[in-house]
Amino acid sequence: MLGTALGSHSTGQTTVTSLAVANPGSLIQSVDWVAIAPPLIAALAALAVLVTDLFLPARHKRWLGRLTAAALALAIASLLPLIGGSPRATFCVQNVTGATDTPSISGAAGGGCSYVADHFALVFQLLALGGALIAALLSAHTVEREELPGGEYWFLLLSSATGAALLPASRDLATLVIALEVASLPAFALVALRRDGRGAEAALKFFLSSVTATAVMLLGIGFVYAASGSLHLGAVATGLEHAPAQLKPLAEAGAVLTLAGFAFKVAAVPFHFWVPDTYTGAPLPVAGYLSVVGKAAGLAGLALVTTIAFRPYAHTWGLVLAVLAAVTMTVGNAGALRQRFDTRYSAVRLLAWSSVGQAGYLLVPLAAAGYAPTTTDPLGATAAYALIYGVVNLGAFGVVAAVGRRSEAGVDDFRGLFARRRWTALALAFFLLCLAGLPPGVIGLFGKVVVFRAAVDAGLGWLAVVMAVNVVVALYYYLRWTGVLFAPAPDAAPAEGAGERTATAPERRLPVSLTATLGLTASVAVVLSVAPQLVLQVVGGSLF
């Protein structure tokens, strides 16, 4: 017998409507198809691309990229019916007694929902699907130029985007792990698609380190389940709070191991070592995708398990994340400072180390959530900064892909770019200034101020000081690269051991699709700089 849609039910700060739950004793429940539409559209598109590739003639393979971009745009559009209303939940269960009370979104009271389309989920789904769309648009030229297998490439990109869109809406540990692996496993293959030898090496490093982190995380989840007796996040919090004394060490060890697994996905120190080699070996749009969408998926999972499941240990994981944030931003900026501009791969490696440093900033509001009063919501700062970082970082990778052609390009390959490609140089300069947090990149400054304020409001003054010092340090390499763009172009031949000097070679016009994508990304960043309050409107209010 089909379940019925229950009325609204208050769960703390969250109001739940349209919960479709099975009747007692029934294994069948109605599914809220509108709520699950974003990841579902991406998944169906992935299957459609895979099947279409089998029958499509080689001369028409480029249509697969267009189908991918259209599907991701449709998935983003499917978020619109979910905006402004109450959270929608599906795949809900009741407590073991078969009581008919409505299960809570977080999973308390013995029941729970595995999928919840609340404000938190929608913001990170927008980031994941929007980042995947920009990566897809940037990839159209890369797939053709590097002769990558188109059908496999687009299928893997859509599959990874499906997992990244599913993860923020997951509200039990099993679904979280599945979504995280659906986002990660296709990414290994995407990195390995380059046939120059470096792709396979980068994918192997990425794969071995990732599966190790996943194994550690699964062990931790097993410990947490043994101590709490549940996988739903809210029920886990209740179980840990009332766990017997003899199970406390097991629960604490499980929480640490689980956080370590998610910290790898965010590229937090000391789980960051795979980033530079993976980014340099991957196709450039894939590197940009990993730096934004992959990081967003790990960040969403980390936010869910800490603020909901491990809330009884808030001050403990708050301190751990604060230390991780400080060390991560420091190590990332130090690694970026060590990059020589005249060597091969220095452009991508600098962006890779920069992304590690940016991960430290993203962790600051999560750490603040462990100390902040229940009346505040520091996670909004993480969401705001993630949206800002996603736009400008993908834009920077896009310009590197357009000008450097391949990841071998060094920063010096961009010397004198303004004299040859004025608008491309201005776009990259604007993206770099946004990452640095300097005008006219007002949106970058706005994001850092929001994160800084979250730390101060939570009483983490020392972390705010560390962040301020790192922001100043990062200005050096961002401004130095920006200066290279406007420097006179070199007349001499490249030095021995330097990368391909494509910037001094005869320039070819950029493809229309690539130019349009860079223009679109730059336009979004400019609009956000002119009206940064738009970001506040997206992430405003309580995320849960």
Side-chain angles (χ1 to χ4, degrees), residues 176-276:
L176 274 174
V177 172
I178 292 173
L180 193 61
E181 292 310 299
V182 170
S184 300
L185 291 175
F188 305 148
L190 281 172
V191 174
L193 285 181
R194 288 184 62 184
R195 308 293 176 82
D196 59 356
R198 293 189 64 89
E201 179 185 353
L204 182 61
K205 293 178 180 178
F206 186 20
F207 173 76
L208 292 178
S209 54
S210 181
V211 296
T212 302
T214 301
V216 170
M217 181 171 58
L218 287 173
L219 179 62
I221 289 175
F223 288 170
V224 170
Y225 175 71
S228 65
S230 178
L231 289 176
H232 286 93
L233 300 183
V236 167
T238 303
L240 294 180
E241 195 170 3
H242 300 93
Q246 61 268 30
L247 293 180
K248 290 287 187 181
L250 184 69
E252 293 169 355
V256 170
L257 295 176
T258 303
L259 293 182
F262 281 106
F264 169 87
K265 306 298 182 181
V266 180
V269 175
F271 312 103
H272 69 292
F273 48 84
W274 57 276
V275 172

Side-chain angles (χ1 to χ4, degrees), residues 345-448:
Y345 305 101
S346 60
V348 176
R349 292 185 71 88
L350 191 148
L351 287 176
W353 283 109
S354 166
S355 72
V356 174
Q358 299 287 343
Y361 304 146
L362 288 166
L363 289 174
V364 170
L366 287 184
Y371 294 90
T374 56
T375 55
T376 62
D377 186 14
L379 293 185
T382 289
Y385 195 84
L387 288 173
I388 296 166
Y389 164 76
V391 172
V392 297
N393 205 59
L394 275 171
F397 270 100
V399 175
V400 173
V403 177
R405 300 294 181 182
R406 288 177 176 269
S407 57
E408 289 92 337
V411 175
D412 276 350
D413 293 334
F414 296 82
R415 186 174 299 277
L417 181 63
F418 181 75
R420 302 185 309 276
R421 288 179 177 166
R422 176 171 302 178
W423 294 109
T424 304
L426 289 175
L428 180 56
F430 184 71
F431 293 139
L432 293 175
L433 291 176
C434 285
L435 289 172
L438 289 177
V442 176
I443 192 63
L445 175 62
F446 173 79
K448 286 181 170 58

Side-chain angles (χ1 to χ4, degrees), residues 45-332:
L47 295 177
V49 165
L50 185 63
V51 173
T52 305
D53 181 55
L54 299 175
F55 304 100
L56 201 63
R59 64 181 182 276
H60 297 313
K61 295 290 186 182
R62 66 179 58 185
W63 282 98
L64 296 176
R66 298 170 185 174
L67 175 61
T68 299
L72 289 170
L74 181 60
I76 295 173
S78 68
L79 295 172
L80 295 177
L82 304 172
I83 296 175
S86 299
R88 304 171 69 130
T90 189
F91 302 115
C92 301
V93 297
Q94 295 174 303
N95 55 43
V96 294
T97 63
T100 58
D101 59 317
T102 307
S104 70
I105 274 187
S106 60
C113 298
S114 295
Y115 186 99
V116 177
D118 58 4
H119 192 48
F120 175 88
L122 297 183
V123 169
F124 277 91
Q125 284 178 339
L126 173 63
L127 176 59
L129 295 171
L133 175 60
I134 295 176
L137 295 174
L138 294 173
S139 298
H141 183 61
T142 301
V143 169
E144 182 178 349
R145 185 184 70 240
E146 299 190 16
E147 299 181 350
L148 303 177
E152 291 87 341
Y153 185 96
W154 301 118
F155 167 74
L156 293 169
L157 182 63
L158 283 167
S159 300
S160 181
T162 299
L166 173 63
L167 193 144
S170 304
R171 291 298 185 273
D172 69 68
L173 293 173
T175 308
L176 274 174
V177 172
I178 292 173
L180 193 61
E181 292 310 299
V182 170
S184 300
L185 291 175
F188 305 148
L190 281 172
V191 174
L193 285 181
R194 288 184 62 184
R195 308 293 176 82
D196 59 356
R198 293 189 64 89
E201 179 185 353
L204 182 61
K205 293 178 180 178
F206 186 20
F207 173 76
L208 292 178
S209 54
S210 181
V211 296
T212 302
T214 301
V216 170
M217 181 171 58
L218 287 173
L219 179 62
I221 289 175
F223 288 170
V224 170
Y225 175 71
S228 65
S230 178
L231 289 176
H232 286 93
L233 300 183
V236 167
T238 303
L240 294 180
E241 195 170 3
H242 300 93
Q246 61 268 30
L247 293 180
K248 290 287 187 181
L250 184 69
E252 293 169 355
V256 170
L257 295 176
T258 303
L259 293 182
F262 281 106
F264 169 87
K265 306 298 182 181
V266 180
V269 175
F271 312 103
H272 69 292
F273 48 84
W274 57 276
V275 172
D277 291 339
T278 298
Y279 286 12
T280 54
L284 284 173
V286 174
Y289 173 85
L290 292 176
S291 72
V292 173
V293 180
K295 191 178 270 78
L299 192 68
L302 190 61
L304 288 171
V305 296
T306 51
T307 57
I308 298 179
F310 300 153
R311 191 65 198 179
Y313 305 144
H315 285 283
T316 301
W317 57 253
L319 177 60
V320 171
L321 290 181
V323 173
L324 273 182
V327 175
T328 299
M329 65 179 74
T330 303
V331 172

